[in-house]
Amino acid sequence: MRTPAAQAGVTGLQAGSSMARSPIMSRYNFRESEAKWQRIWREQRLFEVAAEPGRPKYYVLEMYPYPSGKLHVGHVRNYTIGDLVARYRRAQGFNVLHPMGWDAFGLPAENAAMAENIHPAIWTHENIKTMRAQLERMGFGYDWSREIATCHPDFYRHQQKIFLDFLAAGLAFRTESWVNWDPVENTVLANEQVIDGRGWRSGATVEKRLLAQWALRITAFTEELLDAIGQLERWPERVRLMQENWIGRSEGARVCFAVAGTDERIEVFTTRQDTLFGASFLALSPNHPLSLRLAEKDPGVSAFIAECNRMGTSEAVIETAEKRGYPTGLEAVHPFDESRHVLVYVANFVLMEYGTGAIFGCPAHDQRDLEFARKYRLPVIPVVLPPGEDPATFTIGDIAYVDDGMLINSAFLDGLSVAEAKRAAGERLEKLGLGERTTVYRLRDWGVSRQRYWGCPIPVIYCSACGIVPVPEKDLPVILPADVSFDVPGNPLDHHPTWKHVPCPVCGGPAQRETDTLDTFFDSSWYFLRFCSARAPVAFEREAVDYWMPVDQYIGGIEHAVLHLLYSRFFTRALKQCGYLNLDEPFAGLFTQGMVYHETYQSENGEWLFPEEVVTGEGGRLVDLAGRPVTAGRHEKMSKSKKNVVGLDVIVDMYGADTARLYLLSDSPPERDLEWTETGIEGIWRYVNRLWRMVSEPPVALAAPGTPIPAALPPAVEGTRRATHKTIAAVTDDLDKFRFNRAVARIRELTNTLEELPSSEPGAAEVLREGLETLTRLLGPMMPHLAEEMWQMLGGEGLLADQPWPVADPQLTRDEQVTIAIQVNGKLRGTLEIPRDLDNLAVEEAALALPHVLRWLEGQPPRKVIVVPNRVVNIVA
RNA sequence: GCGGACGUGGCGAAAAGGUAGACGCAGCAGACUUAAAAUCUGCUCCGGGAUACCGGGUGCGGGUUCGAGUCCCGCCGUCCGCACCA
């Protein structure tokens, strides 16, 4: 209980202009406190660590940010979770590596260069400066001595060496791949720059173009990457599933169709060789070699292919586009029946990158084929009979039948199940020499060339005499030129007057540098290794990596579930093959946090408004600052375009870092999306002050630090002490399982309990001290500044950050009395207080004696009684 | 289109197959105050009832079970990824 005496006579500390209204109630001065503790942590180099062989380590890493400008509150959820884990493991005695860096190359810097006429390097460095200051203000315990930026030559010189080693090992190679081409800007567009088939700036219809590019042979590790997913025990199941599906192992068969009247053969890949007798057409990818040859003679085919090439390169676009085909006039001969011919189409939905770039269509048993067949009036022959259907009457309507059944209309396959028919058809194909059973994967090699300036230069030189020549190691790094112009569309490196012209390292003749740069996923595939020895003259020191790797806890957004995480897994293996390290999996534990949402606001004329431009007017209606009406819209992921962002600085100015941190941890489970609300953050701010007052103005004089707690306590005081120890156990368990919102709820429960402690009872002073010290330690990883302040006020020694994590006394976490539920026919009819582990018969007797139970039994003996020890009794009447 | 997830009060949520709604936000009533803010106390899933209590209730429809928010089958809705955004 708070007493008026405790509130009186304390001067109001100025805690933020909007908050410091009270002359009576004291407020926590977070500004002074947060700056002070941040200074002390920095001065003591608290979070700078070195490898200590023999001491257990813990590597915590949050996915490093792209320096896009200023942070909003949505950005820091990730880092708040990471800092909690880092400080928690530190308190548990681990040598914790918790570094931070910048994913500093990328497209937005070039967009800014064009839009605002600012150099990408300057834009990036200014953003880094701003964001670093913002992270420091949040009190995150990073080892800043290991800070890296991928755009720094000290980082990318090593990356260029890695590229050359990959090249030497055959893991990097030249290939051709398709890109989105903007014919007006003369530029390659990223998928996100293609909107409804048009360039986002020019509005021109985007074309597909084939370009010679560098790629990495991730497919050399396909099976390994797939098989090892099973060992990633501390990864979310959904991420493992997504990676499995991405790699996409399919067992099936290659089947050769001869083209009637020619020597031409078309090889298709199928997983449904059992349905070959239901084939009614063949479809070729528009990029299939045969399609291209046909196009040379047939203007219709040529026009159709050109039309397909006007579609973007992204799979989502291709798969959602209307399925269309163009008849080539060719007929293919059925491999099992020479008398049967099927039409050959070129079709826009067949991908050259997958299988053989050609398919056979069996409309009866594949939905997409069925729609195609209906559209072009092709036969639909059912060959798999669903159980219980009559073969004489079974027909296919609008829905293809894709499940198991018995083969019909299929000659030697008739009567078999789908699995048996797959085997039999495969064997027959092999015997006829017309095909073979095979396994294909969806995973493609990774194209790493980007026709852009702001990326790591690819260290190769093209010589007309010597061909592709790697830049000699002594000439690394190949440095990006600073004097570039974005006035001309296209790649500034290519336009640069001198940069690309160099003598050939082999023959000394005139040669040209590669002007493509590396995909930024290349940077992020090894940055976590660089952190282990961030200033090393090599990419990373072997001993440092041996000590610190793998990352024990990696934390980031679910949007990286496949690409970044799969590329990093591949990279680690590729580096192992090149002798860099001895490790397969870079991330032992992975956690993917949800996004942060906020309500959107629109003015009368449909313009988006920032939350701070909206106030509640008369009658609770929303208005803008000029009093004009505002419509509140959907709650969406915070984004600049919809303006539904809450700036981090605004929140930290108004409430402090700790309040923001606790809100981000407490409101929703971390894996789920979180709704940012102004009232929610105010609630946390009130709680922060409550905690501060509990320690600065305790209701009873606390016992001196270290005073032993009396063995015998009055029941109410004993109950509080038990609550303290139960909270330690529960919070520890919750933190281990990433249930931060629950942990916060437990801590708040303990706060409530401590406030209700009867202060006049014997032992209260000692139990309250234990409770408050515990509370402080448990809060440490969440609200580190406030916790230090509380620790100091409690007279604790040294820094709270150096204190060990509390341990619960098992004697005090077990209750001797339990409350169990009494049900009749599964419905709750009462509860019963019984001693723990009372034997079932006694429990049953007590339950049956309850007046309520007797009423519901109406004098009849129960038919059955189920007793679940210490939980429930269910009486079946 | 393919792949993945999610759905519980006015809101964020909690519940090893065992008392649905802990903890918090918002709201209502009260205390303190000239007043407000801050703080404190109480109430708050829906319907009936003065209370006791009774009935209903976890997106929708089925099923398994002594017992289902939780497990199974089928729908509906929302969100995320799809290889050049990071």
Side-chain angles (χ1 to χ4, degrees):
Chain A
M1 291 288 281
R2 207 149 301 149
T3 62
Q7 296 169 9
V10 181
T11 48
L13 292 168
Q14 295 293 307
S17 53
S18 61
M19 288 297 126
R21 301 191 195 100
S22 164
I24 302 163
M25 282 313 283
S26 56
R27 292 292 189 110
Y28 169 51
N29 186 343
F30 63 83
R31 292 197 172 168
E32 201 176 279
S33 171
E34 291 184 352
K36 174 180 72 185
W37 294 112
Q38 283 166 21
R39 196 188 64 239
I40 291 171
W41 296 333
R42 191 168 49 240
E43 283 169 2
Q44 299 206 5
R45 301 182 162 216
L46 208 62
F47 302 107
E48 290 182 26
V49 289
E52 293 177 46
R55 185 176 163 208
K57 62 89 186 182
Y58 202 93
Y59 186 176
V60 186
L61 185 66
E62 300 106 57
M63 291 180 186
Y64 67 164
Y66 181 79
S68 57
K70 275 190 168 185
L71 294 170
H72 59 66
V73 290
H75 290 125
V76 293
R77 190 182 195 189
N78 185 13
Y79 311 121
T80 300
I81 293 169
D83 198 47
L84 183 154
V85 173
R87 287 174 182 266
Y88 170 57
R89 295 299 175 195
R90 197 170 180 281
Q92 288 185 324
F94 290 98
N95 189 19
V96 172
L97 175 60
H98 187 211
M100 179 47 70
W102 309 97
D103 188 12
F105 274 137
L107 204 46
E110 289 191 51
N111 293 334
M114 277 176 258
E116 299 159 40
N117 198 29
I118 181 169
H119 194 281
I122 294 171
W123 184 83
T124 302
H125 283 119
E126 278 177 4
N127 289 345
I128 287 176
K129 211 173 129 191
T130 307
M131 287 169 61
R132 188 197 296 118
Q134 288 186 297
L135 292 179
E136 284 176 328
R137 273 191 84 194
M138 286 297 286
F140 297 137
Y142 293 123
D143 181 350
W144 285 107
S145 74
R146 294 171 187 261
E147 180 182 8
I148 58 171
T150 55
C151 64
H152 200 287
D154 265 353
F155 182 84
Y156 70 66
R157 72 187 307 150
H158 305 299
Q159 183 156 310
Q160 291 174 341
K161 168 82 164 70
I162 290 171
F163 180 88
L164 294 177
D165 287 334
F166 284 178
L167 186 62
L171 290 167
F173 64 101
R174 287 296 267 177
T175 184
E176 289 199 315
S177 59
W178 292 92
V179 295
N180 300 305
W181 183 258
D182 185 320
V184 170
E185 292 200 34
N186 282 315
T187 309
V188 176
L189 297 181
N191 282 333
E192 73 156 11
Q193 296 175 319
V194 181
I195 295 154
D196 294 332
R198 293 172 181 277
W200 65 340
R201 263 192 290 258
S202 69
T205 302
V206 169
E207 299 166 6
K208 279 202 273 192
R209 271 208 186 179
L210 204 54
L211 282 190
Q213 311 242 36
W214 289 99
L216 297 188
R217 214 176 292 284
I218 189 172
T219 54
F221 297 90
T222 306
E223 280 98 352
E224 223 189 303
L225 288 168
L226 184 64
D227 293 344
I229 290 172
Q231 293 150 36
L232 299 172
E233 284 164 19
R234 289 198 297 117
W235 280 42
E237 181 59 29
R238 59 175 165 161
V239 175
R240 294 191 295 182
L241 251 174
M242 279 192 247
Q243 291 219 346
E244 253 175 59
N245 290 329
W246 187 262
I247 294 171
R249 181 187 154 95
S250 296
E251 285 183 21
R254 291 178 199 277
V255 186
C256 275
F257 285 76
V259 179
T262 71
D263 296 336
E264 207 65 74
R265 299 182 118 202
I266 299 170
E267 193 183 33
V268 306
F269 172 77
T270 179
T271 58
R272 294 301 304 270
Q273 63 271 22
D274 53 309
T275 64
L276 264 168
F277 284 99
S280 61
F281 64 93
L282 250 57
L284 304 173
S285 164
N287 311 319
H288 194 279
L290 179 57
S291 305
L292 300 176
R293 262 182 284 136
L294 291 168
E296 285 167 16
K297 291 174 210 137
D298 184 339
V301 173
S302 168
F304 182 77
I305 292 175
E307 213 181 306
C308 292
N309 285 345
R310 242 170 274 141
M311 201 161 51
T313 59
S314 93
E315 193 178 305
V317 167
I318 294 166
E319 292 285 326
T320 49
E322 190 195 351
K323 309 290 175 278
R324 296 176 55 219
Y326 187 87
T328 60
L330 302 182
E331 291 185 6
V333 180
H334 197 284
F336 291 148
D337 181 357
E338 287 182 14
S339 68
R340 279 179 66 178
H341 289 189
V342 294
L343 294 175
V344 179
Y345 285 79
V346 178
N348 64 351
F349 59 90
V350 182
L351 302 172
M352 195 57 219
E353 291 81 13
Y354 182 72
T356 59
I359 60 157
F360 85 82
C362 175
H365 305 292
D366 181 284
Q367 192 60 32
R368 193 168 58 179
D369 294 350
L370 181 63
E371 280 158 28
F372 191 86
R374 294 288 187 226
K375 185 166 181 176
Y376 296 104
R377 300 176 183 283
L378 299 169
V380 177
I381 311 154
V383 290
V384 179
L385 186 70
E389 289 281 348
D390 179 355
T393 58
F394 177 65
T395 53
I396 296 286
D398 294 332
I399 309 290
Y401 180 72
V402 296
D403 295 321
D404 199 5
M406 189 182 81
L407 271 284
I408 53 170
N409 301 328
S410 294
F412 66 95
L413 298 175
D414 280 351
L416 300 180
S417 71
V418 165
E420 289 163 346
K422 280 187 181 178
R423 190 180 331 114
E427 279 166 8
R428 179 68 64 101
L429 285 167
E430 282 160 12
K431 209 157 103 191
L432 294 170
L434 289 174
E436 57 179 359
R437 279 168 291 174
T438 180
T439 301
V440 305
Y441 297 89
R442 209 181 74 98
L443 184 67
R444 309 198 294 258
D445 280 322
W446 170 19
V448 293
S449 291
R450 298 291 180 269
Q451 293 69 41
R452 308 193 194 289
Y453 165 68
W454 196 233
C456 171
I458 298 174
V460 297
I461 291 165
Y462 298 98
C463 170
S464 52
C466 311
I468 294 170
V469 181
V471 172
E473 219 179 303
K474 64 174 173 55
D475 294 339
L476 296 183
V478 176
I479 295 200
L480 276 180
D483 54 331
V484 286
S485 156
F486 290 90
D487 299 342
V488 196
N491 182 353
L493 287 181
D494 204 28
H495 302 146
H496 193 278
T498 56
W499 184 76
K500 70 177 173 185
H501 301 289
V502 287
C504 170
V506 177
C507 70
Q512 293 203 337
R513 285 193 189 284
E514 169 67 85
T515 57
D516 285 354
T517 51
L518 288 171
D519 179 5
T520 56
F521 275 127
F522 202 112
D523 313 341
S524 56
S525 293
W526 72 284
Y527 79 105
F528 47 89
L529 295 167
R530 181 71 183 159
F531 278 136
C532 296
S533 50
R535 301 289 173 262
V538 292
F540 44 86
E541 280 160 5
R542 182 64 188 269
E543 313 82 76
V545 164
D546 285 347
Y547 178 74
W548 290 114
M549 288 296 289
V551 174
D552 296 276
Q553 188 61 60
Y554 198 32
I555 303 160
I558 186 70
E559 65 273 21
H560 293 291
V562 177
L563 293 180
H564 161 57
L565 290 167
L566 189 62
Y567 290 153
S568 299
R569 296 181 59 218
F570 153 64
F571 234 73
T572 308
R573 287 170 168 81
L575 288 169
K576 182 183 178 186
Q577 186 180 314
C578 294
Y580 275 79
L581 44 66
N582 185 23
L583 182 79
D584 291 314
E585 289 295 339
F587 311 125
L590 173 70
F591 185 84
T592 53
Q593 89 280 356
M595 315 210 185
V596 179
Y597 277 52
H598 195 282
E599 199 169 28
T600 52
Y601 304 103
Q602 277 177 292
S603 67
E604 279 176 304
N605 49 22
E607 282 167 8
W608 299 106
L609 295 171
F610 286 108
E612 61 263 32
E613 297 175 315
V614 178
V615 292
T616 309
E618 276 174 44
R621 277 186 296 270
L622 294 178
V623 292
D624 68 9
L625 298 176
R628 288 170 301 216
V630 169
T631 318
R634 296 165 48 99
H635 296 243
E636 292 187 50
K637 177 185 165 183
M638 281 193 186
S639 76
K640 278 185 192 165
S641 60
K642 300 259 171 88
K643 292 194 176 177
N644 61 337
V645 289
V646 176
L648 186 61
D649 291 338
V650 177
I651 294 301
V652 176
D653 283 345
M654 210 183 308
Y655 303 102
D658 283 340
T659 300
R661 291 170 63 131
L662 193 68
Y663 179 71
L664 289 167
L665 293 170
S666 67
D667 206 51
S668 287
E671 69 279 4
R672 214 184 288 182
D673 293 334
L674 172 110
E675 180 74 28
W676 185 276
T677 63
E678 324 306 319
T679 50
I681 192 83
E682 275 173 25
I684 302 288
W685 169 239
R686 284 198 294 270
Y687 177 60
V688 163
N689 281 292
R690 224 174 109 202
L691 284 167
W692 188 72
R693 282 193 301 267
M694 272 180 87
V695 174
S696 62
E697 306 150 16
V700 263
L702 297 176
T707 311
I709 295 170
L713 293 168
V717 179
E718 168 84 13
T720 302
R721 181 148 198 243
R722 286 181 169 274
T724 299
H725 283 262
K726 283 183 200 165
T727 305
I728 295 172
V731 168
T732 305
D733 187 47
D734 284 337
L735 295 189
D736 284 338
K737 292 174 178 156
F738 274 66
R739 296 188 298 213
F740 307 129
N741 58 322
R742 256 174 48 148
V744 173
R746 305 276 194 199
I747 290 172
R748 291 188 79 134
E749 261 177 333
L750 178 62
T751 311
N752 295 343
T753 306
L754 292 177
E755 280 189 332
E756 287 157 14
L757 178 69
S759 54
S760 55
E761 300 260 7
E766 289 81 4
V767 167
L768 185 60
R769 164 161 288 281
E770 185 191 38
L772 289 175
E773 283 185 3
T774 301
L775 201 58
T776 302
R777 287 173 199 253
L778 296 179
L779 284 166
M782 302 174 178
M783 300 203 285
H785 313 87
L786 176 65
E788 291 286 4
E789 200 68 38
M790 288 165 69
W791 184 248
Q792 192 180 48
M793 286 192 288
L794 287 168
E797 278 188 32
L799 288 174
L800 177 72
D802 286 326
Q803 294 298 311
W805 191 249
V807 177
D809 180 345
Q811 296 276 307
L812 294 169
T813 55
R814 245 177 86 96
D815 281 326
E816 294 316 313
Q817 288 280 316
V818 292
T819 308
I820 64 165
I822 310 300
Q823 303 175 332
V824 178
N825 292 333
K827 279 190 193 299
L828 182 73
R829 296 300 175 195
T831 59
L832 205 53
E833 279 267 323
I834 56 160
R836 169 180 285 278
D837 299 329
L838 186 65
D839 75 277
N840 286 358
L841 267 177
V843 175
E844 187 177 328
E845 248 172 61
L848 288 172
L850 280 177
H852 250 85
V853 171
L854 291 173
R855 221 171 76 205
W856 281 95
L857 285 175
E858 292 173 335
Q860 300 294 312
R863 289 202 295 166
K864 194 172 172 186
V865 179
I866 290 129
V867 180
V868 182
N870 300 324
R871 294 202 81 98
V872 75
V873 178
N874 189 14
I875 297 153
V876 186

